[in-house]
Amino acid sequence: MGMIGYLQQLPVTQLNSLIARVDELGGVIIHETFEEEVLDIDKAWHGIHFLLNGSSFGGKEPYENVILGGAPIGADEGYGPARFLTAEQVKDVSEALAQLSSDELESRFDPAELSAESVYPSNSDWNDEDDKEYVLSYYAAVADYYRSAASKGYGMLLYLL
């Protein structure tokens, strides 16, 4: 199945409760019940991160926070612990994504760079036009999800399974 990326927006009160109860939950937090539907970004998570940051891992805030940022919380969920963003960080991400045009992001799609950096899924040669559309369509969903969370003053959980 592979590494699938997930974003979970949640009210700050629920985020704070998770942080306070993380030991009681045995560190496993992603199986809690959340009011909002989780956003599954499939295997596009790494491509999105790369297009926003210009590197496979790392970057500068707020773009680093979009997929791979935040503070770790809980146990290893499969590919490391979940991470969380505060409502303020979600707002910062949402504002930054709103400033980034789809043309600018599309111009950053360089199949040779994606392949050279072994951007997941690294078995892709990234030369297919469908690969670009795949990553950009998930990016649009991510931007909308952050906009929605920011408008409600919510925090965010980020994790890979």
Side-chain angles (χ1 to χ4, degrees), residues 2-3 43-47 56-57 111-127 131 134:
M3 288 187 278
K43 296 176 183 176
W45 63 270
H46 205 196
S56 294
F57 296 97
E113 283 186 26
L114 288 157
S115 296
E117 289 284 326
S118 299
V119 172
Y120 186 79
S122 55
N123 61 342
S124 175
D125 65 10
W126 292 104
N127 288 313
D131 291 336
Y134 170 77

Side-chain angles (χ1 to χ4, degrees), residues 13-148:
T13 54
Q14 191 172 23
L15 176 59
N16 291 338
S17 174
L18 281 176
I19 293 168
R21 296 181 309 120
V22 71
D23 290 336
E24 170 191 324
L25 297 170
V28 178
I29 62 167
I30 64 171
H31 302 296
E32 288 289 292
T33 302
F34 299 105
E35 295 173 22
E36 301 289 335
E37 189 171 327
V38 67
L39 178 64
D40 174 343
I41 56 172
D42 199 49
K43 296 176 183 176
W45 63 270
H46 205 196
I48 293 168
H49 178 83
F50 185 82
L51 293 181
L52 291 172
N53 293 281
S55 67
S56 294
F57 296 97
K60 293 187 179 180
E61 290 185 17
Y63 294 120
E64 179 182 31
N65 282 340
V66 176
I67 305 294
L68 298 176
I73 179 173
D76 186 329
E77 301 283 359
Y79 295 100
R83 293 155 334 277
F84 72 90
L85 300 176
T86 65
E88 186 62 34
Q89 289 171 310
V90 168
K91 181 180 175 230
D92 290 347
V93 165
S94 177
E95 289 173 355
L97 296 180
Q99 298 299 314
L100 185 61
S101 74
S102 57
D103 289 340
E104 168 66 22
L105 194 67
E106 185 173 351
S107 74
R108 297 178 185 181
F109 191 93
D110 182 331
E113 283 186 26
L114 288 157
S115 296
E117 289 284 326
S118 299
V119 172
Y120 186 79
S122 55
N123 61 342
S124 175
D125 65 10
W126 292 104
N127 288 313
D128 189 335
E129 186 66 26
D130 290 341
D131 291 336
K132 183 192 312 185
E133 188 56 41
Y134 170 77
V135 171
L136 294 175
S137 68
Y138 275 104
Y139 168 77
V142 166
D144 287 345
Y145 198 73
Y146 270 101
R147 185 174 23 262
S148 169

